[in-house]
Amino acid sequence: MKIAIIGAGAAGCFAAANIPYRDGVEVALFEKTGKVLQKVKVSGGGRCNVTHECFDIPELVACYPRGRQLLKKSLYRFGPRQTIEWFEQRGVKLKTEPDGRMFPVTDDSQTIIDCIWQQMMRNKVQVFYHKGITKIEKSAPGGWELHFSDNSVYQADVVLIATGGFPKPEQYSWLQALGHTIQSPVPSLFTFNITRHPITELMGVSVPEATIKIAGTKIAQPGALLITHWGMSGPAVLKTSAIAARELAERNYEFQVIVNWLNDRSDADLLETISYLRREQGKQLVQNKNQFNLPKRLWEYLLLQCSIITETRWGELPATAQKKLTEHLLRDIYTVKGKTTFKEEFVTCGGITLSEIDPQTMQSRIAPGIYFAGEITDVDGITGGYNFQHAWSSGWIAAQSMAGEGK
């Protein structure tokens, strides 16, 4: 019995780590580069955001813009709780940060890589590097014939495809040849380019809680917002980009964003605060009395946009300036022209159409004996450990199914 796994990323390696060694069963893992688990290595700034501490599955599923029907089944079988247990059983403890993201207590992604790799070695998985897949064909004696870019061929009884997503539609042609249809790939998890705008002079300034909204839509996400030399980044932007991935691609990445620098504060709430400042702190300079806990450089920038000079006191703030300040604090509009790939967590929206995959086994409904796991499927989540959780879940389910084939 020969099990082939194509792709040594999170999903492929985790699947290999969950196929127990048995006499008469050979597991071969093929990787087109010379390294394994590279996205795990760089994720979370080198710490690896393993999963998210969300044990309520309906709430967890809501964090995936695409793939929810499949995830409703897969995450119940192997979700964050099972992920935590799997690593802890192998000596790796995870910790939870205030925003729910979970990392190894070592704060080192190599801990996760070593854990998975060691389990793969215990399972006697054979790993082959520099093996780029070019074609999969049905084999005459049964099973599948895998063709690689170095002209080598491997015969397998079952095949797990865990290559990750591809940015170009033509890169899926070898999967279309098996009869599968592809949801057109577009980038997800990217930052917003706001070129030649004075806001970019504040690069490095971060607001812990803001809300980003795509103008003309109902798409809005809260979270930390980071100003960069090219525009805006941070969790709020990345989450918004994931949810709006297809819509923003259709707009060729030219659109407007509306920023509420005060996160969820309303006009009425802000008016009440300003009225208090005018009444009780009227002699204080507006520039010095920043009641909103915004970074000093951002506060000064916003006042400048409202033509509020440094000598202005709260009690002397003109009504027109107050109105401008309200608009900039709650509805600050920026024109986005282009995106920048968030390289640490590069994710593609698109892939194998989910109706062609059995969520109970991750096996193809089109080509029995072919399985899928990870980002090659049309599933993607917002930033925060969700994409890795899908990799673990789908990889584990595929492994259980394929291991059953070898009984």
Side-chain angles (χ1 to χ4, degrees):
M1 176 71 186
K2 289 187 175 183
I3 298 173
I5 299 173
I6 304 172
C13 286
F14 198 70
N18 280 284
I19 302 174
Y21 173 72
R22 275 198 308 273
D23 283 339
V25 178
E26 176 181 295
V27 180
L29 177 62
F30 299 94
E31 166 57 33
K32 69 177 179 180
T33 71
K35 297 178 180 178
V36 301
L37 295 163
Q38 278 305 286
K39 193 179 282 189
V40 172
K41 179 71 175 174
V42 300
S43 76
R47 295 194 300 142
C48 185
N49 183 184
V50 178
T51 185
H52 199 282
E53 192 188 47
C54 179
F55 302 133
D56 181 86
I57 300 305
E59 183 183 338
L60 181 61
V61 167
C63 296
Y64 294 84
R66 285 153 290 275
R68 294 179 183 179
Q69 288 303 113
L70 182 144
L71 291 160
K72 283 176 184 176
K73 296 182 172 68
S74 66
L75 291 173
Y76 272 109
R77 292 188 63 194
F78 196 94
R81 201 180 299 279
Q82 290 77 21
T83 298
I84 296 164
E85 290 172 358
W86 193 93
F87 283 104
E88 285 193 347
Q89 286 167 2
R90 290 158 182 82
V92 176
K93 290 193 174 183
L94 305 182
K95 63 176 180 178
T96 307
E97 302 209 332
D99 60 3
R101 293 182 302 158
M102 299 193 73
F103 296 86
V105 293
T106 59
D107 278 329
D108 187 353
S109 59
Q110 193 63 43
T111 304
I112 300 301
I113 293 171
D114 291 345
C115 178
I116 296 172
W117 179 262
Q118 287 161 14
Q119 186 60 55
M120 286 167 55
M121 294 303 99
R122 283 192 287 270
N123 293 352
K124 300 191 185 315
V125 176
Q126 300 177 52
V127 182
F128 299 91
Y129 298 102
H130 305 293
K131 292 283 189 179
I133 189 76
T134 57
K135 184 168 60 174
I136 299 179
E137 292 181 312
K138 193 73 178 161
S139 177
W144 301 91
E145 194 171 83
L146 280 55
H147 295 258
F148 297 97
S149 53
D150 62 0
N151 295 318
S152 63
V153 178
Y154 182 84
Q155 297 281 344
D157 295 287
V158 293
V159 181
L160 172 62
I161 298 169
T163 55
F166 298 113
K168 298 176 181 177
E170 57 268 26
Q171 291 174 289
Y172 291 88
S173 59
W174 58 283
L175 292 168
Q176 290 172 309
L178 292 172
H180 279 282
T181 52
I182 306 298
Q183 296 300 313
S184 181
V186 298
S188 181
L189 293 184
F190 49 84
T191 61
F192 297 164
N193 293 359
I194 305 171
T195 54
R196 292 188 294 279
H197 193 286
I199 189 82
T200 58
E201 294 174 14
L202 305 181
M203 59 183 179
V205 169
S206 177
V207 179
E209 285 293 333
T211 296
I212 284 268
K213 185 178 190 296
I214 304 295
T217 76
K218 293 182 179 179
I219 299 169
Q221 284 293 310
L225 192 156
L226 173 67
I227 299 169
T228 68
H229 67 275
W230 65 86
M232 293 180 180
S233 183
V237 170
L238 295 170
K239 287 190 286 186
T240 303
S241 77
I243 292 167
R246 291 208 178 277
E247 182 151 356
L248 299 184
E250 288 170 6
R251 297 189 189 190
N252 199 28
Y253 305 102
E254 293 192 7
F255 55 97
Q256 286 189 321
V257 292
I258 304 168
V259 181
N260 183 335
W261 294 108
L262 306 182
N263 192 21
D264 56 357
R265 292 186 74 165
S266 64
D267 286 71
D269 185 26
L270 182 56
L271 177 60
E272 186 178 326
T273 301
I274 292 177
S275 297
Y276 165 81
L277 290 167
R278 293 176 71 105
R279 186 176 65 252
E280 303 295 333
Q281 308 283 338
K283 293 182 179 180
Q284 295 278 349
L285 293 174
V286 175
Q287 181 171 294
N288 294 345
K289 190 64 178 179
N290 170 10
Q291 191 78 8
F292 308 104
N293 296 318
L294 291 173
K296 185 173 185 292
R297 290 170 62 202
L298 175 61
W299 178 244
E300 291 173 351
Y301 161 81
L302 292 171
L303 295 182
L304 185 64
Q305 302 309 302
C306 301
S307 302
I308 298 173
I309 60 176
T310 55
E311 294 80 13
T312 304
R313 302 179 188 277
W314 276 110
E316 304 164 350
L317 187 65
T320 52
Q322 178 179 314
K323 185 177 179 182
K324 274 187 179 181
L325 183 59
T326 299
E327 286 301 307
H328 278 284
L329 285 170
L330 304 184
R331 288 172 290 277
D332 210 10
I333 298 174
Y334 296 89
T335 298
V336 176
K337 290 189 176 181
K339 60 175 176 54
T340 298
T341 299
F342 189 61
K343 290 181 173 59
E344 284 189 355
E345 294 193 44
F346 175 72
V347 172
T348 301
C349 153
I352 301 292
T353 300
L354 297 183
S355 60
E356 299 174 358
I357 301 172
D358 180 354
Q360 301 294 345
T361 61
M362 297 307 295
Q363 184 172 205
S364 166
R365 299 184 194 272
I366 306 295
I370 299 289
Y371 295 77
F372 297 99
E375 203 188 320
I376 190 69
T377 62
D378 186 24
V379 176
D380 62 288
I382 60 177
T383 183
Y386 302 103
N387 288 300
F388 274 145
Q389 183 55 59
H390 168 55
W392 315 138
S393 301
S394 56
W396 184 87
I397 291 170
Q400 304 307 300
S401 305
M402 294 189 299
E405 294 278 350
K407 286 180 182 175

